[in-house]
Amino acid sequence: MRWNPRLEGMRAYEPGKTIGEVKREFGLHRIVKLASNENPFGCSGKVKKFIAEAGLETALYPDGYATELREALSSKLGVGPRQLLFGGGSDELIVIISRALLSESDNTVMPWPSFPQYRHNARIQGAEVREVPLREDFSHDLDGMLKAIDKKTSIVWLCTPNNPTGGIIPHEELKAFIRKVPEHVLVIVDNAYHEFVTDPAYGDPLDLTEDFPNVLVLRTFSKAYGLAAFRVGYAIGSEEVIAKLDPVRPPFNTNVLGQQAAARALDDQAFIESTRQQNESGKDQYTRFAEAHGLTCPRSEANFVLMEVKGSADAAADELLKRGYIVRSGDKLGTPGYLRITVGSREDNEGLLAALEEMLAQGVPEA
């Protein structure tokens, strides 16, 4: 078979172990998954009611235009219907964008560490990947990213809040950066964790699409809305940019249940506010623990924290796994010596922190 040579050495995304796998491996009865930044509080009651009562025509294709969801989202965001592009989560949107703009003759600029799918899809397209390290305080090095841009740059990726570090790009800094980016470069502002942000310096990056036609904002229903299983993400930008990207989108790429569930989730902003408040309370638990134990835990505006463990993050994650807690090792995310921990319910946070304290008292092996 004549495989694309650019796939040589590339590995598929490796999700963490499932709850069932951990139960079987360690003989545990209760497992707490705090590894994938899902919403521990589930989804809106309106969505649950809809799912219970939905009568679906399973033999028919979904609405390829996602009309109901498009109209609901257009109204909520105050943008035109043709300024929206839907995908199977943000992941598929990243695939669509990369396929539409990147080739062997292009380069793309991105921060590191950040969401690895930017790099992954650029490599599949054969583009040169230019990664600009975050600063010591985990903030984006926007000046460094500007210096990395040249005539062959097609896409710049910005992740705010950033995954896996949780920091934001303040609105005024973001706007000043975009003003300096050449017009031929598409600037992607990935806002997967938008609904969790409470820092007023964040503003709303969506406003930038009005003044800069080369800006595209990505958001998702997988995180705060608690609909990760349905895989619905969306992009907002100028009609011209969306029209160029839309032919790359598979014709029926969001399913019937996902479209309708997302439309109903939008109608329950009280659930989002409750989620945000509980998330803030949970982050405070981790902040107090870090301060009490002299550990670095940078301020996160997402629904996860990056917690220092003063040793091998892989070893720490394995030890927590044995105690029934699934987290992500920073050794695999570009943040060695740290764990990325999804903020869970108060009870689950307390349990994980107790397990972490016990583990730290025993000493975490060096990498």
Side-chain angles (χ1 to χ4, degrees), residues 82-83 209 212-216 236-243:
R82 295 189 180 277
Q83 289 182 258
T209 61
F212 302 99
N214 63 328
V215 170
L216 192 70
I236 317 105
S238 69
E239 288 191 15
E240 292 75 17
V241 169
I242 296 297

Side-chain angles (χ1 to χ4, degrees), residues 88-313:
S90 298
D91 297 291
E92 188 183 34
L93 293 168
I94 293 167
V95 172
I96 291 170
I97 294 163
S98 300
R99 188 177 177 190
L101 283 108
L102 296 177
S103 68
E104 295 94 332
S105 59
D106 305 305
N107 69 63
T108 177
V109 176
M110 60 195 70
W112 183 254
S114 193
F115 191 45
Q117 291 301 301
Y118 311 147
R119 171 210 286 167
H120 182 82
N121 285 285
R123 287 183 60 194
I124 291 174
Q125 295 303 122
E128 177 192 354
V129 175
R130 297 183 176 180
E131 293 178 319
V132 179
L134 298 179
R135 297 190 181 100
E136 287 188 12
D137 64 355
F138 298 110
S139 63
H140 284 63
D141 181 1
L142 297 178
D143 290 337
M145 295 184 76
L146 282 172
K147 291 176 183 176
I149 297 171
D150 61 20
K151 292 180 180 179
K152 293 187 176 182
T153 304
S154 287
I155 307 174
V156 170
W157 302 90
L158 302 170
C159 192
T160 177
N162 187 46
N163 180 8
T165 56
I168 61 163
I169 304 173
H171 192 73
E172 292 306 314
E173 291 182 24
L174 180 58
K175 184 186 293 187
F177 171 82
I178 293 171
R179 283 199 188 101
K180 297 174 184 176
V181 174
E183 292 182 2
H184 74 272
V185 177
L186 181 63
V187 180
I188 306 297
V189 183
D190 189 344
N191 287 169
Y193 300 92
H194 168 76
E195 290 82 9
F196 294 105
V197 179
T198 60
D199 188 339
Y202 173 77
D204 188 346
L206 183 60
D207 295 344
L208 299 170
T209 61
E210 298 177 10
D211 299 324
F212 302 99
N214 63 328
V215 170
L216 192 70
V217 172
L218 305 186
R219 290 183 183 167
T220 183
F221 287 92
S222 296
K223 304 302 181 183
Y225 285 96
L227 301 181
F230 294 113
R231 312 306 299 128
V232 181
Y234 59 99
I236 317 105
S238 69
E239 288 191 15
E240 292 75 17
V241 169
I242 296 297
K244 285 288 188 182
L245 292 172
D246 206 22
V248 187
R249 177 184 62 84
F252 303 108
N253 64 328
T254 53
N255 64 74
V256 174
L257 203 54
Q259 290 180 22
Q260 296 186 34
R264 282 151 184 81
L266 274 176
D267 195 36
D268 191 356
Q269 290 302 305
F271 172 79
I272 296 298
E273 180 58 31
S274 173
T275 291
R276 183 163 43 240
Q277 290 177 7
Q278 292 180 84
N279 185 64
E280 284 297 298
S281 177
K283 285 190 296 187
D284 287 343
Q285 290 177 268
Y286 287 98
T287 298
R288 290 193 297 269
F289 180 90
E291 290 174 349
H293 293 81
L295 302 173
T296 300
C297 182
R299 168 67 188 177
S300 171
E301 289 294 332
N303 70 330
F304 57 84
V305 296
L306 196 66
M307 178 73 74
E308 184 184 22
V309 292
K310 294 189 183 299
S312 166

Side-chain angles (χ1 to χ4, degrees), residues 292-340:
H293 293 81
L295 302 173
T296 300
C297 182
R299 168 67 188 177
S300 171
E301 289 294 332
N303 70 330
F304 57 84
V305 296
L306 196 66
M307 178 73 74
E308 184 184 22
V309 292
K310 294 189 183 299
S312 166
D314 279 351
D318 287 344
E319 285 300 316
L320 287 173
L321 199 61
K322 295 173 185 176
R323 293 166 168 81
Y325 293 92
I326 307 174
V327 300
R328 288 288 276 181
S329 166
D331 291 349
K332 296 178 174 64
L333 301 174
T335 54
Y338 288 81
L339 297 175
R340 192 193 69 188

Side-chain angles (χ1 to χ4, degrees), residues 36-55:
S36 301
N37 305 338
E38 297 138 329
N39 189 336
F41 310 110
C43 65
S44 164
K46 293 185 179 182
V47 174
K48 293 176 181 177
K49 184 175 186 294
F50 160 72
I51 293 171
E53 299 175 355

